Amino acid sequence: MKNTKIALVLAILILTVSTVTWGQATLGSGTPLAITNESADVQANPTAGGHMSHGCLLCHTPHNGGGVTVQGTTSGITTWNGACLVTAGCTGVQGAAVGKLTQGNVYLWGQALGQLTYNSWDSTGLTSFSNARVTGGAGVLSVPEVHSLMCLSCHDGATTGSSYDLGVNTATGYGGLTGTGTAQGFGPPGLNGVTWSYYNGAWSNGSLMNSHPINAHYTVGGVTLPGLWHVTINTTQYSVKFNDTNFNYWQAWSATGHPARLWTDGADAYVECTTCHEPHRFSQYAYPNNGSWNPTDAGTWEVGIPNSTVYYLRGPYSDASATTDGPKHAAVGTGNTTQNGEMNAQFCRSCHYEKSIEYFNQAGTQPD
Amino acid sequence: MLRKVIVVAIATLLVAAAAWGQGTDPLLGPHNVGGVGCQSCHEPHNALAGPGAYLWGRAIPTRTYTTYTTSNGEGGTLSTLPATGTGMLGNQTATISTPNNPGALATVNQLPQAHTILCLSCHDTSFSTMGCTSTTLAGCGSGTIYPGTAGSGGVGILAGTNYAVGNNGDLSRDHPVDVLYPTNDPTYWANLQYSGSGNQWTVTFGDTTYPYGHPARLFSIDGATAYIECGSCHNPHAQMNAVIITPGTSGTGTTMTAVPTSHFIRGQYRDNTEALATPPASYSSTTLDVDNANFCMSCHSYPSAQFTGTVH
């Protein structure tokens, strides 16, 4: 009887603790989406930005996402009852979106799209989304540029008050740039010392010309451009596969494959924002290769650096300069310079064949 | 006994892991500055303004360099691209005038001099970059940042007090840059080939007699003239690896061959004085002098066995 009472008390205690824990961890750092590790400013003001501030609703709306009024503005998300979810951004009339509302099957997107006409790195234009671009029954999967425009619907600087913009139309870039002088890049804050034009705001509206090319051809006429890896385009399922499956991310790791995701309109392969970035997984990458998946590995890349990625990149990437990133780099410590440059370079090389060790090992003749 | 083995194994692993974690990269070598990989030079976002500017992530100082003057009077000075205003790096719609293509709208990557100036943005000692201090590369992160030691080794193995090229704007002791390849000089290879259009051209050597090939990269904006820049001899993406194209073994076509190199040189070149962490197996060859001379002769035909003396 006594044991029964003790067991009962313990059970209640465990249930209570579990409930409390569960209640506090709904969007915790254990989820791939979590942004609690992204940067100190995000942690300090988690409702001002980040992909997980309000769950999936930050980007997607479960209803009224197709061709009807979207309860959202360019400056924030409003809920069904008009409440503002993104406090810093809700400066306009709730529900009165500026720009074009999402139409059709656009991933139930909850933000207005196509607010600007963008100029990408190579001076090619990237205009707003049009349903006319949808081909076949694949919906927007067959429209490569959508996979950039959705990102820009939040990150183009037209979202006033956000500190996570690319800064296209503001004086504040993603890296938290607010002044003149030594600049910070979009990547690890304070990495490089560009002393002018450090945010896109110095350019005409819509300029992305100092960002990596997007909506850019990876193939022309189905043929891979020089210096890049050969790919195969699935013209019915609108997917792109790297022919090579043996790209070794780096010498000390057995996993292979190309983490980047190319998009296709059924004829050519394109590079979009989400070629490098997977907006659903901040620090825990997972990418397919040759029929299986390479998820975030257990253990550590090297002493003090967990096997992970940063900035929603699709493959492993370390960023020791972001020592204030919170728990992700807590073990590294301030002033760490031991991040893995090879790993970071390999992420780029997984698309840029001519810069890879495979290029030199194969004397520039990659197999098909 | 087992405990000792485990302790030794763990210690070995820790040492190995620590050594591996020093930011090394088999291709970038010292260009993996601070262990950040491609971001040593490039930024994926908010990079240097200017179309085609290679997403350059470093500042370019406004200055004029004194360069080596060639025997035909070329060279002498090289000014950086304008940093602000209507210059290429400050305005996406700027019109760039070049001596050979006045008034033509060009992007940064199409400008021959860009392939020197981007290098100098780090190597001229005026840089201000992450982790780096003062006017040398000494503060740029941990590990071996640059081959050689202060006071003895510099870029190009020149003795000096730092690792810089273009220190204080002085390039007068360095191989000429931003000068035309002298196609009218019989001591250089003739028959350059141009392919492309507009401002975007690729230059190749038409010669097929030189067995070593012509790994140097010349830069052209007009399809008629070719410039020599830092990037002519150096491929900043690979310190010890190069791929060269040589005449086919049967006398027709071409063959691509991987060769060892050093100092980011585009062709086979071996320098045992370079502090290599993991030199290629063939690096210890005793034929260093020949290999190295071959690289120079791939541009300078006069010392080669294939020199004909024909006036172009």
Side-chain angles (χ1 to χ4, degrees):
Chain A
M1 187 62 176
K2 185 178 180 181
N3 289 341
T4 303
K5 283 183 178 178
I6 292 173
L8 188 59
V9 169
L10 282 174
I12 292 173
L13 185 61
I14 291 171
L15 274 173
T16 303
V17 171
S18 300
T19 303
V20 171
T21 304
W22 173 73
Q24 292 174 336
T26 50
L27 299 179
S29 60
T31 67
L33 273 166
I35 52 85
T36 52
N37 293 342
E38 187 169 10
S39 64
D41 58 333
V42 171
Q43 293 179 68
N45 189 10
T47 60
H51 294 184
M52 200 49 170
S53 296
H54 301 284
C56 304
L57 189 60
L58 185 69
C59 299
H60 306 282
T61 178
H63 301 288
N64 292 329
V68 295
T69 301
V70 176
Q71 290 295 311
T73 73
T74 57
S75 57
I77 293 285
T78 53
T79 64
W80 60 275
N81 61 359
C84 179
L85 282 179
V86 185
T87 305
C90 291
T91 56
V93 178
Q94 306 305 302
V98 177
K100 296 180 180 179
L101 298 176
T102 53
Q103 296 179 17
N105 178 16
V106 191
Y107 301 109
L108 294 174
W109 199 246
Q111 293 275 13
L113 294 180
Q115 297 150 37
L116 296 169
T117 295
Y118 306 95
N119 290 315
S120 62
W121 184 85
D122 57 355
S123 301
T124 58
L126 174 60
T127 58
S128 57
F129 165 67
S130 168
N131 270 320
R133 291 272 289 138
V134 177
T135 59
V140 293
L141 185 63
S142 65
V143 187
E145 65 266 30
V146 165
H147 305 94
S148 289
L149 289 170
M150 288 192 297
C151 305
L152 292 166
S153 70
C154 286
H155 288 286
D156 72 350
T159 310
T160 58
S162 171
S163 60
Y164 307 104
D165 297 331
L166 283 169
V168 168
N169 197 26
T170 70
T172 301
Y174 180 89
L177 311 178
T178 56
T180 57
T182 301
Q184 301 169 346
F186 183 94
L191 183 64
N192 292 325
V194 178
T195 54
W196 74 90
S197 297
Y198 51 81
Y199 54 84
N200 287 302
W203 297 59
S204 59
N205 291 350
S207 175
L208 288 168
M209 296 180 76
N210 56 358
S211 285
H212 188 282
I214 59 168
N215 202 36
H217 278 271
Y218 199 85
T219 68
V220 171
V223 178
T224 298
L225 288 171
L228 305 176
W229 293 89
H230 295 165
V231 297
T232 298
I233 299 171
N234 187 317
T235 58
T236 57
Q237 296 183 348
Y238 295 95
S239 61
V240 183
K241 179 178 72 69
F242 287 88
N243 294 352
D244 168 82
T245 58
N246 297 315
F247 178 75
N248 186 205
Y249 218 100
W250 82 85
Q251 55 199 351
W253 190 40
S254 59
T256 58
H258 301 258
R261 180 174 183 178
L262 299 170
W263 303 88
T264 182
D265 56 4
D268 274 315
Y270 291 84
V271 176
E272 305 292 347
C273 294
T274 49
T275 294
C276 294
H277 299 284
E278 159 55 283
H280 303 96
R281 304 181 71 91
F282 169 66
S283 62
Q284 299 177 33
Y285 64 84
Y287 62 89
N289 181 49
N290 201 23
S292 62
W293 284 82
N294 287 329
T296 299
D297 201 357
T300 57
W301 296 135
E302 56 184 295
V303 177
I305 297 181
N307 294 355
S308 62
T309 189
V310 291
Y311 307 125
Y312 300 96
L313 292 174
R314 286 190 179 272
Y317 203 95
S318 66
D319 176 16
S321 71
T323 53
T324 58
D325 272 7
K328 175 168 56 69
H329 292 303
V332 179
T334 302
N336 167 70
T337 56
T338 61
Q339 67 183 350
N340 193 312
E342 179 189 3
M343 179 172 73
N344 295 354
Q346 288 292 84
F347 179 76
C348 305
R349 293 167 182 154
S350 69
C351 278
H352 293 273
Y353 170 68
E354 202 171 56
K355 305 295 186 295
S356 72
I357 190 69
E358 283 77 7
Y359 170 82
F360 294 100
N361 289 341
Q362 298 164 356
T365 54
Q366 61 176 309
D368 284 325
Chain B
M1 181 62 184
L2 179 60
R3 183 177 296 176
K4 287 183 178 177
V5 170
I6 292 174
V7 169
V8 170
I10 292 174
T12 303
L13 279 173
L14 288 175
V15 170
W20 173 72
Q22 289 178 352
T24 59
D25 179 78
L27 292 180
L28 292 177
H31 283 179
N32 178 24
V33 181
V36 298
C38 302
Q39 283 189 291
S40 301
C41 298
H42 305 283
E43 276 288 7
H45 300 287
N46 289 325
L48 190 67
Y54 294 108
L55 296 175
W56 202 248
R58 297 186 180 277
I60 296 178
T62 301
R63 73 187 314 175
T64 298
Y65 300 91
T66 300
T67 62
Y68 187 98
T69 302
T70 65
S71 56
N72 58 5
E74 281 202 86
T77 59
L78 170 64
S79 297
T80 58
L81 302 175
T84 58
T86 58
M88 275 308 296
L89 300 182
N91 190 308
Q92 64 184 14
T93 59
T95 297
I96 289 298
S97 294
T98 62
N100 304 293
N101 203 13
L105 186 66
T107 57
V108 172
N109 61 317
Q110 296 167 344
L111 299 172
Q113 63 266 45
H115 301 89
T116 290
I117 293 171
L118 294 183
C119 304
L120 292 169
S121 70
C122 282
H123 286 283
D124 75 348
T125 72
S126 64
F127 57 84
S128 173
T129 56
M130 81 297 181
C132 302
T133 58
S134 187
T135 57
T136 73
L137 289 167
C140 299
S142 62
T144 302
I145 298 302
Y146 206 84
T149 57
S152 62
V155 174
I157 320 298
L158 297 175
T161 57
N162 54 48
Y163 312 122
V165 164
N167 191 23
N168 298 319
D170 183 10
L171 288 168
S172 64
R173 296 178 300 159
D174 299 293
H175 186 285
V177 291
D178 202 37
V179 294
L180 287 169
Y181 186 81
T183 53
N184 59 346
D185 187 330
T187 63
Y188 292 81
W189 298 101
N191 195 24
L192 294 185
Q193 304 290 309
Y194 298 88
S195 59
S197 61
N199 291 321
Q200 191 71 59
W201 295 89
T202 299
V203 187
T204 54
F205 289 79
D207 167 74
T208 58
T209 64
Y210 189 54
Y212 182 79
H214 300 275
R217 179 182 176 185
L218 301 175
F219 299 90
S220 178
I221 195 172
D222 58 3
T225 54
Y227 279 84
I228 300 163
E229 307 290 347
C230 294
S232 294
C233 295
H234 300 285
N235 171 13
H237 300 101
Q239 180 192 16
M240 298 182 296
N241 297 79
V243 173
I244 62 173
I245 301 174
T246 55
T249 52
S250 60
T252 59
T254 57
T255 299
M256 296 180 71
T257 308
V259 296
T261 189
S262 59
H263 304 299
F264 297 94
I265 289 174
R266 287 189 178 275
Q268 185 158 313
Y269 199 99
R270 296 180 283 190
D271 176 8
N272 286 340
T273 66
E274 189 170 38
L276 300 173
T278 53
S282 57
Y283 213 83
S284 59
S285 167
T286 57
T287 59
L288 299 180
D289 294 341
V290 173
D291 288 340
N292 298 353
N294 283 340
F295 178 76
C296 301
M297 288 188 286
S298 69
C299 276
H300 297 267
S301 65
Y302 175 69
S304 74
Q306 286 71 34
F307 174 69
T308 62
T310 303
V311 177
H312 305 160

